[in-house]
Structure formats: structure tokens, C-alpha cells
């Protein structure tokens, strides 16, 4: 049983541009982000996608809806694809959250969750994905924490290494699950 998974992060938000760590807050795409979402749709239009799974946070849903107007391929929201919940730090400085990331691998952010909890949610999503979408080509649009979780689960990279020195953004990552 295998699934071809393409992963994309949501497009740029006003919070990204302002240096804010949105966490579980909804967030909104900026003008640049709306253009990026359209580009994502163009980039993936010929990929033969069977479906798109997306975080239920507004910025990810907005990205998917702009990329694939009319819901073709079908867009499915999944709460397990949410960004890490920074708890009391949702909406705070991105630099502050970045500086504290490695402290919250196993220990949740105050009032939030740990990166290990994001990995567990992503792992549960992948189990269901393989069981329900065997042989399919799937796009996932979510957040940086989910990308790190996928790298950890599917390539064996360690969470401490990923959180201390995150890989740079690129237009999509390809996995076989």
C-alpha cells in the first residue's frame, strides 16, 4: 500500500510578513500569499492529484481554495494537520517562538502542545491516509510543524535537528508513504 504525497506549506500570511507566530490562530493570506496560492495551483495542476488534504486553520484553507477553485481536486480539511499550538504564545513574536522551539519537543508550550504531539497527529493522519487512499496521489497543504513531522517520520531526521536548523522553504516536497 502506497500513497504519493506532495506537501506544500500554506502561502504567506500577514502575520508572516509582520514576524508573528500565528500558531492555532486563523491567520489571513497577504497580497503576496494570494499570488503564491494561485502559483501553487498552477504548479500542481498537472500532478494528477486525487485529492487535497488541508489543515482546518483559515490560512491553509484559504491557500487551498485559491489554488483549486471549485474544489477540483476535492479539498478535505483535517484538524490533525494544524500548526503546533504555541498556547499563550500564539500570536507572539516569531523570533521568540523560534528561540524556544527546541525546548518544546516533548514539553508542551504553556497552554499549548509539544512538537512530539504534532508528530503523533501527523502519524495518525498518515496511517489513515494509506488505509483510505492506497495508490492515490495526494497534496497536503499545512504548516511548518507538519513539514518537520513528515521529515521526521518519513526520512528519519531527528526532531532536535529539524527544530534547531529547519530546512529552507521550497516549492513542495515529495514523499512515498
Amino acid at each position: 500500500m502506497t500513497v504519493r504525497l506532495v506537501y506544500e506549506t500554506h502561502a504567506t500570511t500577514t502575520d508572516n510578513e509582520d514576524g508573528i507566530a500565528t500558531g492555532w490562530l486563523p491567520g489571513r493570506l497577504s497580497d503576496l500569499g494570494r499570488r503564491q496560492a494561485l502559483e501553487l495551483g498552477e504548479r500542481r495542476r498537472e500532478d494528477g492529484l486525487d485529492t487535497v488534504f488541508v489543515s482546518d486553520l483559515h490560512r491553509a484553507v484559504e491557500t487551498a481554495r485559491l489554488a483549486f477553485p471549485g474544489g477540483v481536486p476535492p479539498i478535505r480539511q483535517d484538524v490533525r494537520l494544524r500548526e503546533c499550538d504555541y498556547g499563550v504564545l500564539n500570536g507572539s513574536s516569531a523570533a521568540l517562538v523560534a528561540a524556544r522551539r527546541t525546548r518544546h519537543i516533548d514539553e508542551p508550550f504553556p497552554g499549548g502542545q509539544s512538537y512530539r504531539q504534532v508528530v503523533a497527529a501527523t502519524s495518525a493522519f498518515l496511517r489513515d491516509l494509506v488505509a483510505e487512499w492506497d495508490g492515490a496521489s495526494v497534496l497536503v497543504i499545512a504548516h511548518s510543524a507538519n513539514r518537520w513531522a513528515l521529515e521526521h517520520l518519513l526520512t528519519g531526521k531527528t526532531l532536535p535537528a529539524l527544530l534547531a536548523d529547519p530546512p529552507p522553504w521550497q516549492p513542495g516536497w515529495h514523499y512515498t508513504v
Side-chain angles (χ1 to χ4, degrees):
M1 295 174 53
T2 62
V3 174
R4 186 176 78 87
L5 188 151
V6 179
Y7 184 83
E8 295 266 4
T9 53
H10 65 77
T12 300
T13 66
T14 56
D15 282 352
N16 295 141
E17 292 177 347
D18 293 338
I20 302 296
T22 313
W24 273 22
L25 300 175
R28 296 231 174 258
L29 297 186
S30 66
D31 289 341
L32 171 63
R34 286 188 287 280
R35 287 191 304 274
Q36 291 170 334
L38 295 172
E39 291 168 5
L40 186 159
E42 286 301 315
R43 185 168 59 246
R44 299 293 169 212
R45 193 108 28 237
E46 303 301 320
D47 281 0
L49 298 171
D50 295 298
T51 194
V52 177
F53 281 94
V54 62
S55 159
D56 68 333
L57 294 173
H58 180 77
R59 59 200 183 267
V61 173
E62 187 179 9
T63 299
R65 287 183 178 157
L66 286 170
F68 304 101
V72 178
I75 298 169
R76 303 165 192 282
Q77 295 180 34
D78 195 307
V79 68
R80 296 173 295 182
L81 296 173
R82 281 187 172 194
E83 176 63 274
C84 187
D85 182 0
Y86 307 132
V88 299
L89 295 179
N90 286 330
S92 67
S93 159
L96 172 67
V97 171
R100 296 182 69 171
R101 272 197 304 255
T102 57
R103 290 190 238 166
H104 297 288
I105 294 170
D106 294 301
E107 177 187 331
F109 281 91
Q113 67 182 154
S114 70
Y115 284 101
R116 192 81 60 199
Q117 289 171 301
V118 175
V119 168
T122 304
S123 180
F125 168 78
L126 291 175
R127 276 192 304 278
D128 290 347
L129 182 72
V130 169
E132 296 171 22
W133 290 91
D134 183 31
S137 180
V138 172
L139 174 66
V140 172
I141 300 172
H143 311 274
S144 57
N146 313 101
R147 179 169 54 99
W148 302 329
L150 287 173
E151 284 292 308
H152 173 67
L153 292 165
L154 300 176
T155 72
K157 293 179 182 168
T158 69
L159 280 179
L162 288 163
L163 295 173
D165 188 22
W169 181 88
Q170 65 186 46
W173 291 262
H174 297 266
Y175 303 96
T176 300
V177 186

Coordinates of all heavy atoms in Angstrom, one line a residue, residues 29-94:
L29 N -4.1 35.3 4.5 CA -3.1 35.5 3.4 C -2.9 37.0 3.1 O -3.9 37.7 3.1 CB -3.5 34.7 2.2 CG -3.6 33.2 2.3 CD1 -3.8 32.6 0.9 CD2 -2.4 32.6 2.9
S30 N -1.7 37.3 2.9 CA -1.3 38.7 2.4 C -1.6 38.7 0.9 O -1.9 37.7 0.3 CB 0.1 39.0 2.7 OG 1.0 38.2 2.0
D31 N -1.4 39.9 0.3 CA -1.4 40.0 -1.2 C -0.4 39.1 -1.8 O -0.8 38.4 -2.8 CB -1.2 41.4 -1.6 CG -2.3 42.4 -1.3 OD1 -3.4 41.9 -1.0 OD2 -2.0 43.6 -1.2
L32 N 0.8 39.0 -1.3 CA 1.8 38.1 -1.8 C 1.3 36.7 -1.6 O 1.5 35.8 -2.6 CB 3.1 38.3 -1.1 CG 4.2 37.2 -1.3 CD1 4.6 37.2 -2.8 CD2 5.4 37.5 -0.4
G33 N 0.7 36.3 -0.5 CA 0.2 35.0 -0.2 C -0.8 34.6 -1.2 O -0.9 33.4 -1.7
R34 N -1.7 35.5 -1.6 CA -2.8 35.1 -2.5 C -2.2 34.8 -3.9 O -2.6 33.9 -4.6 CB -3.8 36.3 -2.6 CG -4.7 36.3 -1.3 CD -5.9 37.2 -1.5 NE -5.5 38.6 -1.4 CZ -5.2 39.3 -0.2 NH1 -5.4 38.6 0.9 NH2 -4.9 40.5 -0.2
R35 N -1.2 35.6 -4.3 CA -0.5 35.3 -5.5 C 0.2 33.9 -5.5 O 0.2 33.1 -6.4 CB 0.5 36.4 -5.9 CG -0.1 37.7 -6.3 CD 0.9 38.7 -6.9 NE 2.0 39.0 -6.1 CZ 1.9 40.0 -5.1 NH1 0.9 40.7 -5.0 NH2 3.0 40.2 -4.4
Q36 N 0.9 33.7 -4.3 CA 1.6 32.4 -4.1 C 0.6 31.2 -4.2 O 0.9 30.1 -4.7 CB 2.3 32.3 -2.8 CG 3.5 33.2 -2.7 CD 4.0 33.4 -1.3 OE1 3.3 33.2 -0.3 NE2 5.3 33.7 -1.2
A37 N -0.6 31.4 -3.6 CA -1.6 30.3 -3.7 C -2.0 30.0 -5.1 O -2.2 28.8 -5.5 CB -2.8 30.7 -2.8
L38 N -2.2 31.0 -5.9 CA -2.5 30.8 -7.3 C -1.4 30.1 -8.0 O -1.6 29.2 -8.8 CB -2.9 32.2 -8.0 CG -4.1 32.9 -7.5 CD1 -4.2 34.3 -8.1 CD2 -5.4 32.1 -7.7
E39 N -0.2 30.5 -7.7 CA 1.0 29.8 -8.3 C 1.1 28.4 -7.9 O 1.4 27.5 -8.7 CB 2.3 30.6 -7.9 CG 2.4 31.9 -8.5 CD 3.5 32.8 -7.9 OE1 4.3 32.2 -7.0 OE2 3.7 33.9 -8.2
L40 N 0.7 28.1 -6.6 CA 0.7 26.7 -6.1 C -0.3 25.9 -7.0 O 0.1 24.8 -7.4 CB 0.3 26.6 -4.7 CG 0.3 25.3 -3.9 CD1 0.4 25.5 -2.4 CD2 -0.8 24.4 -4.3
G41 N -1.4 26.4 -7.2 CA -2.4 25.7 -8.1 C -1.9 25.4 -9.5 O -2.0 24.3 -10.0
E42 N -1.2 26.4 -10.1 CA -0.6 26.3 -11.4 C 0.5 25.2 -11.4 O 0.6 24.4 -12.2 CB -0.1 27.6 -11.9 CG -1.2 28.6 -12.4 CD -2.1 28.0 -13.4 OE1 -1.5 27.4 -14.4 OE2 -3.3 28.1 -13.3
R43 N 1.3 25.2 -10.3 CA 2.4 24.3 -10.2 C 1.9 22.9 -10.1 O 2.6 22.0 -10.5 CB 3.2 24.7 -9.0 CG 4.5 24.0 -8.7 CD 5.4 24.7 -7.7 NE 4.8 24.8 -6.3 CZ 4.5 26.0 -5.7 NH1 4.8 27.1 -6.4 NH2 4.0 26.0 -4.5
R44 N 0.8 22.7 -9.4 CA 0.3 21.3 -9.1 C -0.8 20.9 -10.1 O -1.3 19.8 -10.0 CB -0.2 21.2 -7.7 CG 0.9 21.5 -6.7 CD 1.9 20.4 -6.7 NE 3.1 20.8 -5.9 CZ 4.3 20.4 -6.2 NH1 4.5 19.7 -7.3 NH2 5.3 20.8 -5.5
R45 N -1.3 21.7 -11.0 CA -2.4 21.4 -11.9 C -2.2 20.1 -12.7 O -3.2 19.4 -12.9 CB -2.6 22.6 -12.8 CG -3.9 22.6 -13.5 CD -5.0 23.5 -13.1 NE -4.7 24.8 -12.6 CZ -5.1 25.2 -11.4 NH1 -5.9 24.4 -10.7 NH2 -4.8 26.4 -11.0
E46 N -1.0 19.8 -13.1 CA -0.8 18.7 -13.9 C -0.2 17.5 -13.1 O 0.2 16.5 -13.7 CB 0.2 19.0 -15.1 CG -0.2 20.2 -15.9 CD -1.6 19.9 -16.6 OE1 -1.8 18.8 -17.1 OE2 -2.4 20.9 -16.7
D47 N -0.3 17.5 -11.8 CA 0.2 16.4 -11.0 C -0.7 15.2 -10.9 O -0.3 14.2 -10.3 CB 0.5 16.9 -9.6 CG 1.8 17.7 -9.5 OD1 2.5 17.9 -10.5 OD2 2.1 18.2 -8.3
G48 N -1.9 15.3 -11.5 CA -2.8 14.1 -11.4 C -3.3 13.9 -10.0 O -3.4 12.7 -9.6
L49 N -3.6 14.9 -9.2 CA -3.9 14.8 -7.8 C -5.3 14.2 -7.7 O -6.3 14.6 -8.4 CB -3.9 16.1 -7.1 CG -2.6 16.8 -7.1 CD1 -2.7 18.2 -6.5 CD2 -1.6 16.0 -6.2
D50 N -5.5 13.2 -6.8 CA -6.8 12.7 -6.5 C -7.6 13.5 -5.5 O -8.8 13.5 -5.5 CB -6.6 11.2 -6.0 CG -6.1 10.3 -7.1 OD1 -6.7 10.2 -8.1 OD2 -5.0 9.8 -6.9
T51 N -6.9 14.1 -4.5 CA -7.5 14.9 -3.5 C -6.5 15.8 -2.9 O -5.2 15.6 -3.0 CB -8.2 14.1 -2.4 OG1 -9.1 14.9 -1.7 CG2 -7.2 13.3 -1.5
V52 N -6.9 16.8 -2.1 CA -6.1 17.7 -1.4 C -6.5 17.7 0.1 O -7.7 17.9 0.4 CB -6.2 19.2 -1.9 CG1 -5.4 20.2 -1.1 CG2 -5.8 19.3 -3.4
F53 N -5.6 17.4 1.0 CA -5.9 17.5 2.4 C -5.3 18.7 2.9 O -4.2 19.1 2.5 CB -5.3 16.3 3.1 CG -6.1 15.0 3.0 CD1 -5.8 14.1 2.0 CD2 -7.2 14.8 3.9 CE1 -6.6 13.0 1.9 CE2 -7.9 13.6 3.7 CZ -7.6 12.7 2.8
V54 N -6.0 19.4 3.8 CA -5.6 20.7 4.3 C -5.9 20.9 5.7 O -6.9 20.3 6.2 CB -6.2 21.8 3.4 CG1 -7.7 21.8 3.6 CG2 -5.7 23.2 3.7
S55 N -5.0 21.6 6.4 CA -5.3 22.0 7.8 C -6.6 22.7 7.9 O -6.9 23.4 6.9 CB -4.1 22.9 8.3 OG -4.5 23.6 9.4
D56 N -7.3 22.7 9.0 CA -8.5 23.4 9.1 C -8.3 24.9 9.5 O -9.3 25.6 9.6 CB -9.5 22.7 10.1 CG -9.0 22.7 11.5 OD1 -7.8 22.8 11.7 OD2 -9.9 22.7 12.4
L57 N -7.1 25.3 9.7 CA -6.8 26.7 10.0 C -7.0 27.6 8.8 O -6.6 27.2 7.7 CB -5.4 26.9 10.6 CG -5.2 26.2 12.0 CD1 -3.8 26.2 12.4 CD2 -6.1 26.7 13.1
H58 N -7.6 28.7 9.0 CA -8.0 29.5 7.8 C -7.0 29.8 6.8 O -7.3 29.7 5.6 CB -8.6 30.9 8.4 CG -9.0 31.8 7.3 ND1 -10.2 31.6 6.6 CD2 -8.4 32.8 6.7 CE1 -10.4 32.5 5.7 NE2 -9.3 33.3 5.7
R59 N -5.7 30.1 7.2 CA -4.7 30.4 6.2 C -4.4 29.2 5.3 O -4.1 29.4 4.1 CB -3.4 30.9 6.9 CG -2.8 29.9 7.8 CD -1.9 30.6 8.8 NE -1.2 29.8 9.7 CZ -1.6 29.5 10.9 NH1 -2.8 29.9 11.4 NH2 -0.9 28.7 11.7
A60 N -4.5 28.0 5.7 CA -4.3 26.8 4.9 C -5.5 26.6 4.0 O -5.4 26.3 2.8 CB -4.0 25.6 5.8
V61 N -6.7 26.7 4.6 CA -7.9 26.6 3.8 C -8.0 27.6 2.7 O -8.3 27.3 1.5 CB -9.2 26.7 4.7 CG1 -10.5 26.6 3.8 CG2 -9.2 25.5 5.7
E62 N -7.6 28.9 3.0 CA -7.6 29.9 2.0 C -6.7 29.6 0.9 O -7.0 29.8 -0.3 CB -7.3 31.3 2.7 CG -7.4 32.5 1.8 CD -7.1 33.8 2.6 OE1 -6.6 33.8 3.7 OE2 -7.3 34.9 2.0
T63 N -5.5 29.1 1.2 CA -4.5 28.7 0.2 C -5.1 27.7 -0.7 O -5.0 27.8 -1.9 CB -3.2 28.2 0.9 OG1 -2.6 29.2 1.7 CG2 -2.2 27.7 -0.1
A64 N -5.7 26.7 -0.2 CA -6.2 25.6 -1.0 C -7.4 26.1 -1.9 O -7.4 25.7 -3.1 CB -6.7 24.4 -0.1
R65 N -8.2 26.9 -1.3 CA -9.4 27.3 -2.1 C -8.9 28.3 -3.3 O -9.6 28.2 -4.4 CB -10.4 28.0 -1.2 CG -11.1 27.1 -0.3 CD -12.2 27.7 0.5 NE -12.9 26.7 1.3 CZ -13.5 27.0 2.4 NH1 -13.6 28.3 2.9 NH2 -14.2 26.1 3.0
L66 N -7.9 29.1 -3.1 CA -7.4 29.9 -4.1 C -6.7 29.0 -5.2 O -6.7 29.3 -6.4 CB -6.5 31.0 -3.6 CG -7.2 32.1 -2.9 CD1 -6.2 33.0 -2.2 CD2 -8.0 33.0 -3.8
A67 N -5.9 28.1 -4.7 CA -5.1 27.2 -5.6 C -6.0 26.3 -6.5 O -5.7 26.1 -7.6 CB -4.2 26.3 -4.8
F68 N -7.1 25.9 -5.9 CA -8.0 24.9 -6.6 C -9.5 25.4 -6.5 O -10.3 24.8 -5.8 CB -7.9 23.5 -6.0 CG -6.5 23.0 -6.0 CD1 -5.7 23.0 -4.9 CD2 -5.9 22.6 -7.2 CE1 -4.3 22.6 -4.9 CE2 -4.6 22.1 -7.3 CZ -3.8 22.2 -6.1
P69 N -9.8 26.5 -7.2 CA -11.2 27.0 -7.2 C -12.2 26.0 -7.7 O -11.9 25.2 -8.6 CB -11.1 28.2 -8.1 CG -9.9 28.0 -8.9 CD -9.0 27.2 -8.2
G70 N -13.3 25.9 -7.0 CA -14.3 24.9 -7.4 C -14.1 23.6 -6.8 O -14.8 22.6 -7.1
G71 N -13.0 23.4 -6.0 CA -12.8 22.2 -5.3 C -12.4 21.0 -6.2 O -12.7 19.9 -5.9
V72 N -11.7 21.3 -7.2 CA -11.2 20.2 -8.1 C -9.7 20.3 -8.1 O -9.1 21.3 -8.6 CB -11.8 20.4 -9.6 CG1 -11.2 19.3 -10.4 CG2 -13.3 20.3 -9.5
P73 N -9.0 19.3 -7.6 CA -9.5 18.1 -6.9 C -10.2 18.5 -5.6 O -10.0 19.6 -5.1 CB -8.2 17.3 -6.7 CG -7.1 18.3 -6.6 CD -7.5 19.4 -7.5
P74 N -11.0 17.5 -5.1 CA -11.7 17.8 -3.8 C -10.7 18.2 -2.7 O -9.6 17.7 -2.6 CB -12.3 16.5 -3.5 CG -12.3 15.7 -4.7 CD -11.2 16.2 -5.5
I75 N -11.2 19.2 -1.9 CA -10.4 19.7 -0.8 C -11.0 19.1 0.5 O -12.2 19.3 0.8 CB -10.4 21.2 -0.7 CG1 -9.7 21.7 -2.0 CG2 -9.7 21.7 0.5 CD1 -9.8 23.2 -2.3
R76 N -10.2 18.5 1.4 CA -10.7 17.9 2.6 C -9.9 18.5 3.8 O -8.6 18.4 3.8 CB -10.5 16.4 2.6 CG -11.2 15.7 1.4 CD -10.7 14.3 1.2 NE -11.1 13.7 -0.1 CZ -12.3 13.3 -0.3 NH1 -13.2 13.3 0.6 NH2 -12.6 12.8 -1.5
Q77 N -10.6 19.0 4.7 CA -9.9 19.6 5.9 C -9.7 18.5 7.0 O -10.5 17.6 7.1 CB -10.8 20.7 6.5 CG -10.9 21.9 5.6 CD -11.8 23.0 6.3 OE1 -11.8 23.2 7.5 NE2 -12.6 23.7 5.4
D78 N -8.5 18.6 7.6 CA -8.2 17.6 8.7 C -7.5 18.4 9.8 O -6.5 19.0 9.7 CB -7.3 16.5 8.1 CG -7.3 15.3 9.0 OD1 -7.0 15.5 10.3 OD2 -7.5 14.2 8.6
V79 N -8.1 18.3 11.0 CA -7.6 19.0 12.2 C -6.2 18.5 12.6 O -5.4 19.2 13.2 CB -8.6 18.9 13.4 CG1 -8.7 17.5 13.9 CG2 -8.2 19.9 14.5
R80 N -5.9 17.3 12.2 CA -4.6 16.7 12.6 C -3.4 17.4 11.8 O -2.3 17.1 12.1 CB -4.6 15.2 12.3 CG -5.6 14.5 13.2 CD -5.7 13.0 12.8 NE -6.2 12.9 11.5 CZ -6.5 11.7 10.9 NH1 -6.2 10.6 11.5 NH2 -7.0 11.6 9.7
L81 N -3.8 18.2 10.8 CA -2.7 18.9 10.1 C -2.5 20.3 10.6 O -1.9 21.2 9.9 CB -3.1 18.9 8.6 CG -3.2 17.5 7.9 CD1 -3.7 17.6 6.5 CD2 -1.8 16.9 7.9
R82 N -2.9 20.7 11.7 CA -2.8 22.0 12.3 C -1.3 22.3 12.7 O -0.6 21.3 13.0 CB -3.6 22.2 13.6 CG -5.0 22.5 13.3 CD -5.7 22.8 14.6 NE -7.1 23.2 14.3 CZ -7.8 23.9 15.2 NH1 -7.4 24.1 16.4 NH2 -9.1 24.2 14.8
E83 N -1.0 23.5 12.7 CA 0.3 24.0 13.2 C 0.5 23.6 14.6 O -0.5 23.3 15.3 CB 0.4 25.5 13.0 CG 1.7 26.2 13.5 CD 2.9 25.8 12.9 OE1 3.5 24.7 13.3 OE2 3.4 26.4 12.0
C84 N 1.7 23.6 15.2 CA 1.9 23.4 16.6 C 1.1 24.5 17.3 O 1.1 25.7 17.0 CB 3.4 23.5 16.9 SG 3.7 23.1 18.6
D85 N 0.4 24.1 18.4 CA -0.3 25.1 19.3 C 0.7 25.7 20.2 O 1.2 25.0 21.1 CB -1.4 24.4 20.0 CG -2.2 25.3 20.9 OD1 -1.9 26.5 20.9 OD2 -3.2 24.8 21.5
Y86 N 1.1 27.0 20.1 CA 2.0 27.7 20.9 C 1.4 28.1 22.2 O 2.0 28.8 23.0 CB 2.6 28.8 20.2 CG 3.2 28.5 18.9 CD1 2.9 29.3 17.7 CD2 4.1 27.4 18.7 CE1 3.5 29.0 16.5 CE2 4.6 27.1 17.4 CZ 4.3 27.9 16.4 OH 4.8 27.6 15.1
G87 N 0.1 27.8 22.4 CA -0.6 28.2 23.7 C -0.6 29.7 23.9 O -1.0 30.4 23.0
V88 N -0.1 30.1 25.0 CA -0.1 31.5 25.3 C 0.8 32.3 24.4 O 0.7 33.5 24.3 CB 0.3 31.8 26.8 CG1 -0.6 31.1 27.8 CG2 1.8 31.3 27.1
L89 N 1.6 31.6 23.6 CA 2.5 32.3 22.6 C 1.9 32.4 21.2 O 2.5 33.0 20.3 CB 3.9 31.7 22.6 CG 4.7 31.7 23.9 CD1 6.0 31.0 23.7 CD2 4.9 33.1 24.3
N90 N 0.7 31.9 21.0 CA 0.0 32.1 19.7 C -0.1 33.6 19.5 O -0.6 34.3 20.4 CB -1.4 31.4 19.7 CG -1.3 29.9 19.6 OD1 -0.4 29.4 19.0 ND2 -2.4 29.3 20.2
G91 N 0.3 34.0 18.4 CA 0.2 35.5 18.0 C 1.4 36.3 18.6 O 1.4 37.5 18.4
S92 N 2.4 35.7 19.1 CA 3.5 36.4 19.6 C 4.6 36.5 18.6 O 4.5 36.0 17.4 CB 4.1 35.8 20.9 OG 4.6 34.5 20.6
S93 N 5.8 37.0 18.9 CA 6.9 37.2 18.0 C 7.4 35.8 17.5 O 7.6 34.9 18.2 CB 8.0 37.9 18.7 OG 9.2 37.7 18.1
A94 N 7.5 35.8 16.2 CA 8.1 34.5 15.6 C 9.5 34.2 16.0 O 9.8 33.1 16.2 CB 8.0 34.6 14.0

